[in-house]
Amino acid sequence: EIVLTQSPGTLSLSPGERATLSCRASQSVSSNYLAWYQQKPGQAPRLLIYGASSRATGIPDRFSGSGSGTDFTLTISRLEPEDFAVYYCQQYGYSPGTFGQGTKLEIK
Amino acid sequence: QVQLQESGPGLVKPSETLSLTCAVSGYSISSGYYWGWIRQPPGKGLEWIGSIYHSGITYYNPSLKSRVTILVGTSKNQFSLKLSSVTAADTAVYYCARDWGGSTRPGYFDYWGQGTLVTVSS
């Protein structure tokens, strides 16, 4: 199965700053089938990005995804207070679909 | 608006079978899509368990395949999960979600239930 490694494990930033989260796959992800989710404490994950760069319905345009092959990035252009959460990437190009271990974005 | 809601026992004894149901509203399962189960042990990451199409076609995570059964009940617009021979390692929050995958590959998940904590303990 494809292993996804997210970095950093924890990212400490202030509101208004730019956040860059990385997701690296152990092998090339087919057709850029890579998704990003946001999860807040006690809540289910929320789909942000699919197909590496397509925003899900209702997701603000400060969230953007990029990358291809084995290296993918989620960028939050200007952090809002509600953006501090855990972020997961998921590949769905090969079965089984797998998730990264998560990056915690915390307030500095 | 599509909504999903998990239900089932919150406590299961070791070696027994975990059984959960996901009720879907705002969308008819028989209209399409796969429908999946994902779990998250306390303080840990996400693991896909398996998914089912309204016709009953299923695909499972190989790591759990020998213990998992997912069924669909179109008459009640719901689907279910059974996980047999559970151990403490199966303690997790279990989520149901709509799966954009197909018969040959998995998908991403756009609508999720709120999740239900299942603890395996005697």
Side-chain angles (χ1 to χ4, degrees):
Chain A
E1 69 179 43
I2 293 180
V3 176
L4 299 178
T5 302
Q6 293 185 241
S7 61
T10 302
L11 185 57
S12 300
L13 293 170
S14 300
E17 291 192 294
R18 181 185 185 91
T20 303
L21 287 67
S22 174
C23 176
R24 177 164 289 179
S26 59
Q27 64 189 74
S28 183
V29 176
S30 172
S31 301
N32 291 337
Y33 287 144
L34 194 287
W36 289 93
Y37 300 85
Q38 175 194 69
Q39 188 178 34
K40 296 180 180 179
Q43 296 185 17
R46 173 193 182 196
L47 177 67
L48 301 174
I49 301 286
Y50 62 93
S53 60
S54 296
R55 268 189 303 276
T57 303
I59 301 304
D61 60 7
R62 65 179 182 273
F63 290 92
S64 63
S66 63
S68 64
T70 60
D71 291 301
F72 298 88
T73 300
L74 174 70
T75 301
I76 310 172
S77 58
R78 286 181 57 86
L79 286 166
E80 297 287 341
E82 62 266 29
D83 298 337
F84 293 91
V86 179
Y87 291 83
Y88 294 95
C89 58
Q90 178 218 359
Q91 71 78 23
Y92 52 97
Y94 296 98
S95 190
T98 51
F99 293 87
Q101 84 282 12
T103 288
K104 182 179 181 180
L105 179 55
E106 64 177 24
I107 299 177
K108 187 175 182 179
Chain B
Q1 176 76 343
V2 180
Q3 294 184 311
L4 298 92
Q5 178 68 58
E6 305 89 351
S7 61
L11 181 63
V12 180
K13 290 182 169 55
S15 79
E16 295 190 344
T17 297
L18 177 159
S19 295
L20 296 174
T21 297
C22 180
V24 180
S25 58
Y27 188 87
S28 174
I29 287 178
S30 60
S31 295
Y33 292 104
Y34 276 75
W35 302 86
W37 289 96
I38 303 101
R39 70 179 182 178
Q40 184 173 37
K44 296 188 179 180
L46 299 158
E47 180 181 35
W48 169 70
I49 299 170
S51 297
I52 189 166
Y53 194 58
H54 69 85
S55 63
I57 297 171
T58 54
Y59 63 108
Y60 301 132
N61 191 322
S63 68
L64 297 167
K65 186 175 182 178
S66 63
R67 299 194 291 131
V68 173
T69 302
I70 298 176
L71 300 171
V72 66
T74 53
S75 61
K76 294 185 178 181
N77 212 40
Q78 62 188 28
F79 59 105
S80 63
L81 168 70
K82 293 186 184 300
L83 182 65
S84 63
S85 305
V86 298
T87 70
D90 295 308
T91 293
V93 175
Y94 286 77
Y95 295 100
C96 58
R98 189 170 77 172
D99 179 352
W100 276 72
S103 60
T104 58
R105 64 163 180 83
Y108 58 87
F109 305 96
D110 60 347
Y111 290 100
W112 295 64
Q114 66 185 26
T116 186
L117 175 62
V118 179
T119 302
V120 178
S121 176
S122 56

